Amino acid sequence: MNNFAVLAKKEFVQMVREFKVIWLPLVFIFLGITQPVVSYYLPSILEALGGGQGITIDPSMAAQKGGEVLASTLGSQFDQLGVMIIIVSMMGVVQSDKANGMLAFILTRPVTVGSYISGKIISNYLFVACSVALGYLVSYLYVVFLFTSVDFGDLIVALLFYLLWILFIVSFTTMISTIFNSQGIIALISIVFLLGCRIIVGLSPVIDNVNPASMSKHAMEVLILGTVNSQALWGVLAALAWTAVTILITNIWISKKKFNNE
Amino acid sequence: MKLEIKNVTKKFKEKTAVNNFSMELQSGECVGLIGPNGAGKSTLIKVIADIIDPSTGEVLLDGKKISKMKKEIGYLPQYPNFFQWMTAKETLTFMGQLSGIKREELLNGIPEILSKVGLSGEENSKVRTFSGGMKQRLGIAQALLHKPALIVMDEPVSALDPIGRREVLNIIKEIKKDTTILLSTHILSDAEEICERFVIIKSGKKIEDTTMSELLNRNSGNKINVDITSKSQKWIENVKSLNFVKGVEVMGNKLKIEVEDIESNKNMLLANALEHNVDLVRFEIDNDTLEEIFLKLVVEK
């Protein structure tokens, strides 16, 4: 436990030194603002730029409910650019330690692989989750200001669902970062796989029940409909199970010293 | 403390890097692991430091598996990198805490160890700004910090310039007084300077395990090198006729004289030279240098 604390603290200090602690929350705040602001002003923008000839602007477009706009912040901003940015910010999480030999070096000390991985995942997850929550909160404020207000209970439940999806993103990227050695490959595989997971959500209820990305869909449903989907429990269990699997694979990979393939 | 390496073999796909290697290391020894590039030194060091697992065989420290004895080992990698954004003090605190040293102990221990490796005053500089020699010294500090029973160093001086090399060698000489050291190198004069015992490794196999003096004695022939000036060339014929001289090689003004028994014959030869008023420039017993012995062992076998 003590080693875990030392390693987690090191991660936090590194985030501060590399200014990640500033730019990642800023990115999510920016993404959070974009959706409500663009939705609100889109009719006026189209009117101003579109020449106005022969274009009818549906007034209902501007009359979206707050929950819908907040849901599309998650679905259109966070799930696309947001996920990519999380991946890019985390692709070196284990890979850089492998590349400069620090992983092997750290493991020559009496440090268990478990405390190394948990130090990485928990610290990074806490930080990414806070950034996402901050962006989400700012988005909420804009939504309330520009559209209608959102039920606070729904807001929190949706966030919790969404953060579970983020947990899987973090653990999956960590696993890929452990297995592969090139940052480009790590980013490519993670982005293709995770966005792929997100895209197939909604195709089939069966797949959704085992797809961690369905957490994002459940979060959006809570915001739009105000009710939790009855299938959500399966999704939660699936997301937790997949997270556990990625952590297990990471653990096995490091324990077997496969990172040292000379 | 006793380190036992038992029949360690390490295979990488088709290549065998270490082949059935065994040796023992007792407390207080300083052993140099020497071999040409690609001989398997680094692989063996990594197996001992528990960075890679051997394909077969095991490494025991005091009879226990090395993976359970990490606190007793200090390891210095070939290119200690550390985290570039940490200061020297932070690096030592980080590695020290991972080794299980308490905060209070570190508070006193770090300045002490930094002054030992000559990095006092640099505790708050970033590792990024360090030269190769400074990084190596920080690496040594890190390896010493938790007072291990055994220090394993992979090519501690090979990548350094002459000044950095000298600094690091002096530190190693200092620390070997109270720790057991195993180091690998391909630079013989370094090994010669700090270690008493050598293990020569070639193609993953141990081909020699001996001490410096033994190695030199075994390889010295009964030969004497004599340099003379050209005006004394006539003496050469005289030497050839001496009854204890078995052969003379002449290379210009340099003579290599083989005698029957070096102990008694060397003074007789010198007396003979003085008697004939030979203009001597150099007179010495022909010893193979460590380098020559090394080349013989590594290239021929």
Side-chain angles (χ1 to χ4, degrees), chain A residues 2-3 6-7 9-10 13-14 17-18 97 100 102 104-111 257 260 262, chain B residues 46 50-53 70-71 73 75 77 81-83 85-86 90 94 97-99 103 142 146:
Chain A
N2 184 32
N3 279 339
V6 174
L7 289 161
K9 188 185 155 211
K10 176 242 136 197
V13 174
Q14 186 168 13
R17 297 273 165 89
E18 290 173 353
D97 277 4
N100 66 18
M102 278 313 280
F105 200 11
I106 286 172
L107 293 179
T108 63
R109 311 284 78 243
V111 175
K257 303 176 183 172
N260 242 315
E262 292 165 53
Chain B
K46 282 181 180 164
D50 196 37
I51 289 175
I52 47 182
D53 289 330
K70 286 183 180 177
K71 270 189 189 173
I73 296 181
Y75 169 64
N81 242 321
F82 308 114
F83 293 112
W85 49 269
M86 278 190 182
E90 283 170 337
F94 177 66
Q97 284 179 328
L98 290 183
S99 305
R103 216 163 233 291
Q142 164 278 133
H146 54 289

Side-chain angles (χ1 to χ4, degrees), chain A residues 45-62:
Chain A
I45 295 170
L46 282 180
E47 214 163 36
L49 297 179
Q53 297 279 315
I55 293 179
T56 321
I57 289 153
D58 182 0
S60 72
M61 227 177 123

Side-chain angles (χ1 to χ4, degrees), chain A residues 9-10 18 31 40 42 59 72 78 86-88 137 167-168 178 180 203 216 220 254 256:
Chain A
K9 188 185 155 211
K10 176 242 136 197
E18 290 173 353
L31 289 177
Y40 185 76
L42 195 60
S72 52
F78 288 10
I86 293 176
I87 292 168
V88 169
L137 210 68
L167 176 62
F168 177 74
T178 307
F180 295 93
L203 283 186
S216 172
M220 289 169 71
I254 298 181
K256 293 238 159 124

Side-chain angles (χ1 to χ4, degrees), chain A residues 120-139:
Chain A
K120 284 276 179 199
I121 290 187
I122 293 177
S123 58
N124 279 286
Y125 175 63
L126 280 179
F127 172 62
V128 172
C130 285
S131 306
V132 169
L134 198 65
Y136 180 74
L137 210 68
V138 171
S139 189

Side-chain angles (χ1 to χ4, degrees), chain B residues 34 188-189 191-193 195-198 200 208-223 262-263 285-297:
Chain B
I34 41 186
L188 291 146
S189 56
E192 197 175 349
E193 195 171 320
C195 301
E196 298 86 40
R197 186 176 153 200
F198 300 100
I200 300 177
E208 198 66 65
D209 183 350
T210 179
T211 60
M212 179 74 188
S213 44
E214 208 185 293
L215 204 58
L216 290 179
N217 280 338
R218 188 177 349 139
N219 283 282
S220 69
N222 285 327
K223 286 181 186 166
I262 195 100
E263 287 300 319
I285 296 173
D286 179 57
N287 261 344
D288 277 352
T289 61
L290 192 60
E291 192 159 310
E292 282 163 338
I293 299 168
F294 176 73
L295 283 175
K296 253 189 233 168
L297 283 169

